[in-house]
Amino acid sequence: MFDTLILTESRYLHPDESDWYTSQVHLEDGLVMEALQRQGLNVARRDWADPDQDWGQTRSVLFRTTWDYFDRYATFSPWLDHVESCTRLLNESALIRWNIDKHYLGDLARAGINVVPTVYVEPGDSRSLTEVVAGLDWDELILKPAVSGAARHTYRFHADRAGEHEAAFGELIRHESMMLQPFQRGVLEQGELSLMVIDGKVTHAIRKTPKAGDFRVQDDHGGSVHPHQPSAEECAFAEAAVRAVPFDVLYARVDTIRDNAGRLAIMELEMIEPELFFRFAPAAADALAAGLVRRLG
């Protein structure tokens, strides 16, 4: 019987010293495993999709590097239901389902948290992208699905060029909700700030910047990561955003930016399987472990 199983995916289950990315994944997951073991827990690491795993043989599972779940959602969703019936999930399944769909930004805004302005277009809407954009007072926009990851189908365009994306928009809106946001110019110079909130408190932060000529900060698209010392204002903003979430949150990555008015604004809250950059602050893994132990009671 395990106290906790750390969840990864098959690509990262075994070490591969020849691949820097896999080695980095093992470094991060290793820091978490060692922190849990320091708490006296019996811990192992498993592929979430392992068909032979008996999930009833652990008191809890901790999502860490399950980064293929989105591409395998037809498998992941029923798996989530099954594992929830066997053991405790951290973060919990209700939060995971809430966090998958970026309609949650509306919930945060209604709770008084400043988010990047967002307009949703739902499946079945008969308007063209050009018609939707014409009703907005935004010169430059971002279009992306409400359920997405790794900048999938993310498009940046000027309002008068909306017609260039009609084909993609028309195909996507048949099956899924789309969202439009004004492009935040600060990302080009300042990048995006990620604050790690563990058990309600900011433990550390990093800044992600896009490569020259791009606006996407994800490393999949050439973005880079830099250490960042968060200010009191940044910490208070991130912690308030997590308090506004209507679920218990063990861990969160709060992705923020200075919006076009110069205010801190939420880009995303990542609470499913975010990279938490423990290599920049190994002590944060101990905060995660302590929070997990407290929840197990």
Side-chain angles (χ1 to χ4, degrees):
M1 185 74 175
F2 292 100
D3 294 303
T4 301
L5 292 178
I6 297 172
L7 299 182
T8 187
E9 58 168 281
S10 59
R11 287 181 297 176
Y12 306 127
L13 188 58
H14 303 293
D16 181 357
E17 297 300 330
S18 67
D19 179 61
W20 72 269
Y21 195 77
T22 301
S23 296
Q24 184 170 280
V25 167
H26 275 262
L27 170 63
E28 297 264 336
D29 282 0
L31 290 169
V32 173
M33 180 173 286
E34 291 165 7
L36 291 166
Q37 290 170 337
R38 282 194 290 273
Q39 290 284 340
L41 301 186
N42 185 21
V43 186
R45 189 168 173 268
R46 293 287 188 269
D47 172 12
W48 71 268
D50 182 352
D52 298 322
Q53 179 62 48
D54 181 356
W55 300 104
Q57 295 302 305
T58 182
R59 295 171 63 199
S60 65
V61 297
L62 176 66
F63 288 85
R64 284 308 318 124
T65 48
T66 58
W67 293 335
D68 62 344
Y69 88 91
F70 185 81
D71 296 323
R72 303 175 61 189
Y73 193 70
T75 299
F76 178 77
S77 184
W79 174 88
L80 198 61
D81 290 335
H82 168 67
V83 176
E84 180 185 27
S85 71
C86 300
T87 188
R88 181 164 187 175
L89 279 65
L90 297 164
N91 283 319
E92 62 181 284
S93 63
L95 170 55
I96 288 171
R97 294 190 186 281
W98 182 81
N99 193 220
I100 284 171
D101 189 326
K102 292 185 180 63
H103 281 82
Y104 73 77
L105 291 172
D107 294 340
L108 294 178
R110 287 185 287 274
I113 304 300
N114 188 43
V115 304
V116 174
T118 304
V119 169
Y120 300 95
V121 187
E122 305 300 344
D125 195 313
S126 61
R127 293 175 296 170
S128 68
L129 179 60
T130 301
E131 290 172 323
V132 176
V133 169
L136 303 171
D137 188 26
W138 300 337
D139 294 331
E140 192 172 7
L141 302 94
I142 294 291
L143 170 70
K144 58 186 176 181
V147 178
S148 187
R152 180 182 74 92
H153 285 299
T154 296
Y155 305 100
R156 172 189 173 193
F157 61 95
H158 288 277
D160 59 1
R161 308 291 290 272
E164 297 177 4
H165 301 285
E166 290 289 6
F169 175 78
E171 178 62 28
L172 290 164
I173 200 63
R174 290 170 55 195
H175 308 289
E176 56 186 313
S177 301
M178 301 297 291
M179 51 193 285
L180 285 160
Q181 297 175 319
F183 179 66
Q184 303 300 300
R185 296 180 295 273
V187 73
L188 299 178
E189 294 182 358
Q190 303 168 10
E192 187 175 294
L193 178 62
S194 291
L195 297 107
M196 272 42 77
V197 179
I198 308 296
D199 205 14
K201 297 294 183 182
V202 171
T203 56
H204 60 295
I206 56 96
R207 187 174 293 280
K208 294 177 285 186
T209 56
K211 71 176 182 180
D214 206 333
F215 67 96
R216 296 165 298 185
V217 299
Q218 294 87 353
D219 53 14
D220 316 54
H221 302 286
S224 55
V225 177
H226 313 273
H228 177 81
Q229 183 62 45
S231 67
E233 177 197 17
E234 291 163 348
C235 290
F237 180 73
E239 290 169 4
V242 171
R243 284 196 302 272
V245 174
F247 302 95
D248 176 52
V249 182
L250 172 58
Y251 58 84
R253 194 184 76 213
V254 183
D255 293 339
T256 70
I257 193 172
R258 291 283 173 179
D259 65 18
N260 291 337
R263 301 170 300 174
L264 283 170
I266 298 294
M267 291 286 285
E268 294 185 66
L269 293 187
E270 297 280 2
M271 296 176 290
I272 303 172
E273 31 60 89
E275 184 173 6
L276 293 175
F277 301 95
F278 289 116
R279 62 189 181 276
F280 289 92
D286 289 295
L288 179 70
L292 186 146
V293 167
R294 185 167 60 80
R295 283 164 174 79
L296 290 183

